[in-house]
């Protein structure tokens, strides 16, 4: 099996994933998964697709992720892993789709408008 290359996005985070058969090592920006994501919940989010398809420990995964916050990065990685698993075997697709791991979350930060303090927030009104 050669290297599978996929991409995942969430808000402003972009995760580029390189997956190949191996012992199950995770490298996120040249660091281990535990080192990059200190929170157990974020590590769980990243590993959800592998746990669902019972493929954890079978592949070496190298990820380059940048932009956004740590939660957005974790969800971008989850999407990239799900897409890579679908490339490996089409049997995984229905289970991953049912859980919503193949859906790119389109929600982004709304842009600031002129004449407003933020996107929708108005400047404070002064009667006098």
């Amino acid at each position: 099996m050669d290297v599978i290359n996929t991409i995942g996005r969430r808000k402003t985070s972009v995760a580029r994933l390189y997956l190949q058969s191996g012992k199950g090592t995770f490298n996120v920006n040249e660091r281990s998964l535990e080192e990059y994501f200190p929170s157990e919940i974020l590590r769980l989010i990243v590993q959800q697709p592998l746990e669902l398809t019972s493929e954890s420990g079978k592949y070496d995964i190298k990820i380059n992720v940048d932009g956004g916050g740590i939660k957005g990065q974790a969800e971008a990685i989850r999407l990239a892993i799900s897409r890579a698993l679908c490339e490996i075997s089409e049997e995984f697709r229905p289970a991953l789709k049912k859980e919503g791991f193949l859906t790119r979350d389109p929600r982004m930060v709304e842009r600031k408008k002129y004449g407003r303090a933020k996107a929708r927030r108005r400047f404070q009104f002064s009667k006098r």
Side-chain angles (χ1 to χ4, degrees):
M1 179 182 142
D2 56 325
V3 178
I4 293 175
N5 182 2
T6 57
I7 194 163
R9 293 186 179 98
R10 171 75 171 97
K11 291 188 174 180
T12 57
S13 300
V14 179
R16 286 180 280 291
L17 178 126
Y18 305 93
L19 183 135
Q20 59 189 359
S21 56
K23 297 185 175 98
T25 60
F26 257 97
N27 270 353
V28 183
N29 291 352
E30 305 299 325
R31 295 191 283 178
S32 70
L33 185 69
E34 290 76 25
E35 194 180 332
Y36 194 81
F37 293 115
S39 167
E40 182 65 38
I41 295 165
L42 296 175
R43 286 196 298 264
L44 188 73
I45 287 171
V46 168
Q47 293 172 337
Q48 276 178 325
L50 296 169
E51 297 293 326
L52 180 71
T53 57
S54 60
E55 294 288 304
S56 56
K58 295 183 182 178
Y59 302 106
D60 289 340
I61 300 173
K62 182 178 177 287
I63 303 158
N64 293 327
V65 65
D66 61 310
I70 198 160
K71 178 108 191 282
Q73 287 184 352
E75 292 183 13
I77 292 169
R78 181 175 69 183
L79 177 61
I81 291 171
S82 301
R83 286 178 173 171
L85 289 172
C86 283
E87 279 189 35
I88 291 168
S89 173
E90 282 295 318
E91 298 170 6
F92 300 142
R93 190 169 181 82
L96 290 168
K97 193 155 179 70
K98 184 174 180 267
E99 291 295 319
F101 296 157
L102 292 174
T103 306
R104 200 288 198 197
D105 195 339
R107 294 177 295 176
M108 301 284 278
V109 176
E110 192 174 342
R111 77 170 208 85
K112 184 196 175 299
K113 278 78 169 189
Y114 55 86
R116 297 283 173 108
K118 296 197 315 188
R120 299 186 181 203
R121 167 103 168 86
R122 291 173 171 84
F123 292 115
Q124 185 172 346
F125 176 74
S126 174
K127 199 165 189 179
R128 288 180 188 86

